[in-house]
């Protein structure tokens, strides 16, 4: 992924107003992000524990999505799998992220959701750049490039639902 600026990020959101995009919390460490290892930029809002954001490139332009989630309240032994990267996590490592649909449908309250890594670090888990809290990723027969393609295809399918 190419490095992004705060202006790039704020202009990319498809499911919130320009005012909402102007007020959302953008990461302060954009210059320190491992851009070469990212398929998308994802972050949680430090001031609003139930909000997260995701920005990626699609069709030659940036697409940003504002999402909400509830903290998981699962038992210690319960594990969940991210629908994007297929990484399993214990406890609250995977959350149902819901995004308001773009346009009139979103203004009417329609949303879509997907189970994603709560920290939105799918790209880093795939590449082994971020260690899991406990356990490990399942060993796969797919190459890293194939796993990345699968993850970006899953993300594209989610974004298609948001923009439809």
């Amino acid at each position: 992924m190419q490095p992004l600026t705060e202006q790039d990020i704020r202009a990319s959101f498809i499911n919130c107003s320009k005012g909402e995009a102007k007020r959302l919390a953008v990461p302060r460490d954009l210059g320190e992000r491992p851009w070469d290892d990212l398929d998308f930029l994802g972050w949680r809002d430090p001031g609003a524990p139930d909000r997260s954001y995701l920005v990626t490139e699609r069709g030659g332009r940036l697409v940003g999505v504002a999402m909400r989630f509830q903290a998981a309240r699962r038992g210690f032994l319960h594990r969940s799998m991210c629908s994007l990267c297929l990484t399993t996590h214990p406890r609250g490592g995977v959350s149902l992220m819901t995004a308001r649909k773009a346009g009139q449908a979103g203004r009417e309250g329609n949303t879509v959701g997907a189970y994603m890594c709560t920290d939105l670090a799918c790209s880093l888990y795939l590449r082994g750049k971020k260690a899991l809290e406990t356990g490990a990723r399942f060993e796969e027969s797919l190459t890293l490039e194939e796993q990345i393609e699968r993850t970006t295809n899953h993300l594209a399918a989610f974004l298609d639902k948001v923009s439809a």
Side-chain angles (χ1 to χ4, degrees), residues 76-155:
F76 180 74
L77 298 176
H78 191 289
R79 298 184 70 79
S80 299
M81 181 180 285
C82 173
S83 65
L84 298 183
C85 66
L86 306 185
T87 300
T88 60
H89 295 272
R91 297 180 290 281
V94 171
S95 297
L96 176 61
M97 302 284 184
T98 58
R100 189 170 61 203
K101 292 188 82 158
Q104 184 61 34
R107 289 189 289 278
E108 293 173 358
N110 294 323
T111 61
V112 295
Y115 286 95
M116 298 181 196
C117 295
T118 304
D119 61 4
L120 296 169
C122 299
S123 302
L124 302 178
Y125 291 126
L126 283 177
R127 291 165 174 82
K129 303 282 181 171
K130 185 168 183 179
L132 292 167
E133 187 178 316
T134 58
R137 286 186 40 83
F138 290 110
E139 194 170 323
E140 296 191 61
S141 59
L142 298 178
T143 65
L144 176 59
E145 290 76 23
E146 291 169 329
Q147 292 177 51
I148 292 168
E149 182 179 358
R150 178 186 61 206
T151 298
T152 56
N153 288 341
H154 289 179
L155 177 58

Side-chain angles (χ1 to χ4, degrees), residues 5-95:
T5 66
E6 181 176 341
Q7 290 174 324
D8 294 334
I9 292 168
R10 291 189 189 284
S12 71
F13 284 90
I14 62 170
N15 69 337
C16 62
S17 70
K18 288 183 181 181
E20 290 170 320
K22 186 177 179 181
R23 291 186 300 273
L24 63 83
V26 174
R28 299 188 187 276
D29 64 345
L30 292 175
E32 301 163 15
R33 295 283 172 138
W35 296 105
D36 291 338
D37 292 323
L38 296 180
D39 304 306
F40 63 88
L41 174 65
W43 72 99
R44 292 177 60 179
D45 188 332
D50 66 335
R51 293 186 188 167
S52 60
Y53 308 99
L54 186 146
V55 177
T56 191
E57 189 174 321
R58 288 200 71 203
R61 71 180 190 106
L62 290 177
V63 176
V65 176
M67 302 179 291
R68 292 185 178 261
F69 67 97
Q70 282 192 316
R73 297 183 188 114
R74 297 196 170 121
F76 180 74
L77 298 176
H78 191 289
R79 298 184 70 79
S80 299
M81 181 180 285
C82 173
S83 65
L84 298 183
C85 66
L86 306 185
T87 300
T88 60
H89 295 272
R91 297 180 290 281
V94 171
S95 297

